Amino acid sequence: MSFKEELTNKVTEIEEIVYKYLPKEEGKQKTVIEAMNYSVKAGGKRLRPMIMLETYRMFEGSSEVIEPFMAAIEMIHTYSLVHDDLPAMDNDEYRRGKKTTHAVYGEAMGILAGDGLLNFAFETAAKSFDIEVNQNVAKAIQILGNKAGIYGMIGGQVVDIESENKAIDLDTLDFIHKLKTAALIECSMLIGATLAGASEDEKNCVEKIANKVGLAFQIQDDILDVTSSLEVLGKPIGSDDKNNKVTYVGIKGIDAAKADVERLTNEAIELFDGLKYKNPFLRELLISLIGREK
């Protein structure tokens, strides 16, 4: 089986897991639930729950305890996109080739759908205690909150917004990307390793790998924002320029940005290959998502 075929099968597996944790579309609050589910089911690569699951399997984890966390990380990632697309943020009408949530349900419901997904993510993650009750599960919930919160993704988003229409240096841009993008990839790999009982040294190594992968992923995103198209990317290109955001391409140019992606990729894979545990599919997945064209 080719990597592409295996990836397609993995996406199907991930979606079956994630979808079974989505709320039922019923009750007087049905509209917001519909908007939440629309957002999650609008497509996507399912990279974060996939990375989480494959890291868990690499460290020989085999329990269903990973499943609520897989659903939770996808809900958190999705809510961040719903809010990113709002008029007050990036003001985008397309995501993954489809109308964004606020474009379909209105701005107010878009805000509430994002809020709903964030809260429901932690409600879902807490269901893991119905499967196992131990220190690793409690630690995994702490990781989820930290990496998604003010010291992680939200913190990066704050600095990103405050940096619009300003000349910022590369260190500030690194800070934004490491929190806004890399933090959820770190979260995915760390939770997978933690729930599988990895050692502290192994978890530290996994976090470093994820940090480099996440930074390279975002630089590649900056490159695609100026080189791709709406048809290929599934969302408007030139969004960063429209919103007066400083990017790696803007600071260093296309060639240097591409060189940074290659360097970070090589560093991440070198660390990955140094781990005692192996997962060939996860290794190829990390390489492929950095070098993606959409």
Side-chain angles (χ1 to χ4, degrees), residues 14-15 17-19 22 36 39-50 52 67-81 96 117-118 121 144 184 188:
I14 299 299
E15 289 186 337
I17 292 170
V18 171
Y19 289 0
L22 293 178
M36 290 163 61
S39 306
V40 174
K41 293 182 176 182
K45 303 176 185 71
R46 314 305 182 190
L47 291 175
R48 289 150 193 84
M50 189 180 298
M52 184 186 291
E67 293 188 359
F69 286 98
M70 291 166 59
I73 195 70
E74 189 67 6
M75 290 173 192
I76 287 174
H77 171 60
T78 302
Y79 111 78
S80 74
L81 301 181
R96 297 163 177 165
L117 283 167
L118 174 58
L144 188 67
L184 284 196
S188 300

Side-chain angles (χ1 to χ4, degrees), residues 177 214-223 248 257 260-261 264:
H177 288 344
L215 185 54
F217 184 92
Q218 183 57 55
I219 297 173
Q220 181 68 8
D221 199 60
D222 288 353
I223 293 169
Y248 272 87
D260 281 345
V261 171
L264 288 162

Side-chain angles (χ1 to χ4, degrees), residues 123-180:
E123 182 179 340
T124 301
K127 291 178 181 178
S128 57
F129 285 115
D130 295 333
I131 303 168
E132 290 183 15
V133 179
N134 56 49
Q135 188 175 5
N136 287 340
V137 175
K139 183 61 179 176
I141 291 179
Q142 289 179 335
I143 293 168
L144 188 67
N146 176 266
K147 295 295 186 181
I150 57 174
Y151 301 109
M153 181 185 68
I154 291 175
Q157 184 72 62
V158 168
V159 180
D160 188 28
I161 290 171
E162 291 183 337
S163 299
E164 289 181 11
N165 302 306
K166 293 180 181 178
I168 61 172
D169 58 22
L170 193 58
D171 285 343
T172 302
L173 190 60
D174 275 341
F175 179 89
I176 292 169
H177 288 344
K178 285 177 180 178
L179 269 67
K180 184 179 175 182

Side-chain angles (χ1 to χ4, degrees), residues 224-238 293-294:
L224 292 175
D225 192 62
V226 297
T227 63
S228 191
S229 66
L230 171 62
E231 291 74 23
V232 173
L233 208 55
K235 62 180 181 179
I237 62 167
E293 294 183 358
K294 62 181 181 177

Side-chain angles (χ1 to χ4, degrees), residues 9-73:
N9 291 339
K10 297 277 189 183
V11 170
T12 300
E13 177 189 9
I14 299 299
E15 289 186 337
E16 287 177 355
I17 292 170
V18 171
Y19 289 0
K20 74 181 183 182
Y21 284 98
L22 293 178
K24 294 181 180 180
E25 297 176 4
E26 58 188 18
K28 291 186 177 181
Q29 70 275 46
K30 181 180 177 181
T31 303
V32 74
I33 298 173
E34 287 179 352
M36 290 163 61
N37 291 349
Y38 170 84
S39 306
V40 174
K41 293 182 176 182
K45 303 176 185 71
R46 314 305 182 190
L47 291 175
R48 289 150 193 84
M50 189 180 298
I51 290 170
M52 184 186 291
L53 179 61
E54 293 302 321
T55 304
Y56 181 68
R57 287 173 171 170
M58 180 172 68
F59 287 104
E60 301 181 347
S62 59
S63 166
E64 291 182 358
V65 73
I66 192 71
E67 293 188 359
F69 286 98
M70 291 166 59
I73 195 70

